[in-house]
Amino acid sequence: MKRIGEYLAFRDQHFFFIFFVVLFCTIQTSAQHKYNFFYGKISDQVSNKGIPDVNIYFEGSVKGAISNNNGDFSFYIDTLPLIMVVSHLGYETKKLLLDKTSFSLNVFLQPKIQQLEEIVVSGKSNYETVFHDQYLNIIDYEVDTATVFILTDDLRSTSSALICKNFKGDTIAGNKFFSIHPRKLFKDCLGNIHLLTGDSAYQVFRDSRQLKLIYPVTLKKFNDVLVNCVCSSGDMLFIRKFEGNGQTVSYYKVDRKTNQRQMLTAIEDSLKTKMLRRNPHDNSLLNQTVQPDSRDDFVEWSYVHKILYRPVSTALCKIGDFICIINTVERTIEFYKPDGSYAFKLLLMIRKVHEGTWTKDIFIDEVKRKVYTTFAQNGYYFLYSIDLNTGELERVLAIAHLYPEKLRVHKGYIYYLYHKAGSGDNKELFRQSIF
């Protein structure tokens, strides 16, 4: 009996010891999962110096923080995702999206500049014709730093022509082609213009008033080397790679000196990926690169390729001193330093717009350092600017023509192609002032 009593006492002590150990571990694990530690620095975007006494607070929370004399800050937060508001007298207020992308933040505030309020022209037909010729149809165009390259074919013959105009509308260079059949123009990540045919690619070189085609390569080699290079910054190249039938996009940075490659982020349309897993027939059609012969099969093939499983629409671009990745799936903009290190993230306030359907197209005005997107309704397209401090959207204009094609934004103008009814294959190039 004595041994039984000692055993029961030992068992009870052992049980309570295990109970308290498990309880302690549970509390520690719960605390680790509940709280997230963020830290970083807030700097002046112009001088790059740390800003002291910056107010930090969180939407829907009473918690807050403040930066120290060097601009450094840190805090614990228990709820993610969350909007973090950063404000300081004399600087533009910033609204950042906090999630688990990175717990280290590099925030840059833009000094407030007293300036005249911009007059937004909305719905006015303040457009002008950039190029129109009754005998020349526009195949494609690209806007360069101070010129517009326009690729045309002659409706009276089999010849094609490449025309270069300045922004005043004067033709400053050109060339005619009889032996090749150009299909499109392409502007690479280094700013060079290329002319593409069905099997070859050429770089366009302006020699006085003549446009020459140099450095011919096969189209396959061109696609492998240049098409997926979307941006450059100093010694860094930024590469885009589509995977999973176009439903996943990965972005990489590549050091041109060392050829070292590092992934920045991957964007996946998980809803479409799940749909593909559940529908093996759709997956089979996506992998079918040759168009079917029969009409019914072509309609189904076209619907799957061009509507149901369109490739993920994203953009990587350089805006000022930042590399920005615009994620249309999660509706965010990620900001990176020129060396590719993560800075911060914004949430795009798409849900606040109730004018048509979001096209998910992104347009960058590198000169004005502005970002735009469009909404469409019954053939009308509306241009919205994106505030790079808060993610808010503001309507700036309604495009003058219905169903515009190939939109580009440059130096405060939006360029687009328009196919007039009753004009056959003839397209015209217009531009419309944003402000």
Side-chain angles (χ1 to χ4, degrees), residues 383-399:
L383 188 70
Y384 280 74
S385 64
I386 299 174
D387 190 318
L388 297 179
N389 288 312
T390 64
E392 298 283 349
L393 275 68
E394 180 182 6
R395 185 179 189 252
V396 293
L397 62 79
I399 295 177

Side-chain angles (χ1 to χ4, degrees), residues 140-371:
D140 200 5
Y141 79 98
E142 282 293 348
V143 183
D144 200 11
T145 306
T147 55
V148 183
F149 289 85
I150 305 169
L151 182 63
T152 68
D153 57 11
D154 195 323
L155 300 176
R156 301 163 298 182
S157 66
T158 58
S159 66
S160 302
L162 182 60
I163 303 167
C164 181
K165 286 179 170 287
N166 61 24
F167 291 149
K168 294 180 181 179
D170 303 321
T171 299
I172 57 177
N175 199 353
K176 283 191 175 182
F177 311 109
F178 295 92
S179 59
I180 64 172
H181 302 285
R183 293 188 175 181
K184 64 179 296 185
L185 295 175
F186 181 84
K187 187 175 181 180
D188 67 27
C189 60
L190 300 175
N192 300 310
I193 303 293
H194 301 264
L195 184 146
L196 310 184
T197 69
D199 55 10
S200 302
Y202 306 82
Q203 184 175 323
V204 177
F205 174 73
R206 183 158 71 93
D207 183 9
S208 185
R209 293 188 60 82
Q210 188 176 16
L211 295 176
K212 297 181 178 180
L213 302 182
I214 60 175
Y215 306 134
V217 296
T218 64
L219 192 60
K220 182 181 184 307
K221 183 176 181 181
F222 180 83
N223 289 335
D224 291 341
V225 175
L226 274 179
V227 167
N228 289 320
C229 179
V230 292
C231 185
S232 64
S233 178
D235 293 328
M236 290 292 176
L237 294 177
F238 295 88
I239 309 298
R240 174 187 60 198
K241 183 180 179 182
F242 283 98
E243 299 170 307
N245 287 313
Q247 303 311 307
T248 300
V249 180
S250 300
Y251 286 104
Y252 300 85
K253 64 176 182 178
V254 179
D255 191 315
R256 284 198 272 186
K257 290 183 177 179
T258 64
N259 286 327
Q260 288 186 334
R261 173 168 143 168
Q262 180 181 342
M263 178 184 280
L264 292 178
T265 190
I267 301 168
E268 179 189 17
D269 191 332
S270 57
L271 181 62
K272 295 291 180 66
T273 302
K274 290 178 182 177
M275 284 175 58
L276 276 173
R277 290 180 188 146
R278 293 195 299 264
N279 297 278
H281 180 63
D282 290 352
N283 193 41
S284 175
L285 287 174
L286 277 178
N287 291 321
Q288 183 180 339
T289 56
V290 180
Q291 297 180 2
D293 294 329
S294 72
R295 182 183 180 280
D296 292 341
D297 290 342
F298 173 76
V299 169
E300 184 183 22
W301 179 89
S302 183
Y303 175 74
V304 167
H305 275 259
K306 298 180 180 180
I307 299 177
L308 193 57
Y309 296 102
R310 290 178 60 188
V312 174
S313 176
T314 65
L316 184 148
C317 54
K318 185 176 182 181
I319 306 173
D321 298 325
F322 293 100
I323 300 298
C324 299
I325 296 178
I326 299 158
N327 182 339
T328 60
V329 177
E330 297 180 359
R331 300 183 175 185
T332 61
I333 304 181
E334 296 179 7
F335 289 75
Y336 294 82
K337 292 182 181 180
D339 63 0
S341 59
Y342 181 84
F344 56 89
K345 181 186 290 190
L346 298 181
L347 179 65
L348 291 173
M349 301 300 178
I350 302 296
R351 57 183 174 79
K352 292 186 178 182
V353 179
H354 304 288
E355 187 174 39
T357 303
W358 185 32
T359 64
K360 296 186 179 181
D361 294 326
I362 302 296
F363 309 100
I364 314 298
D365 190 334
E366 296 179 358
V367 178
K368 298 288 186 179
R369 297 186 177 185
K370 290 182 177 291
V371 182

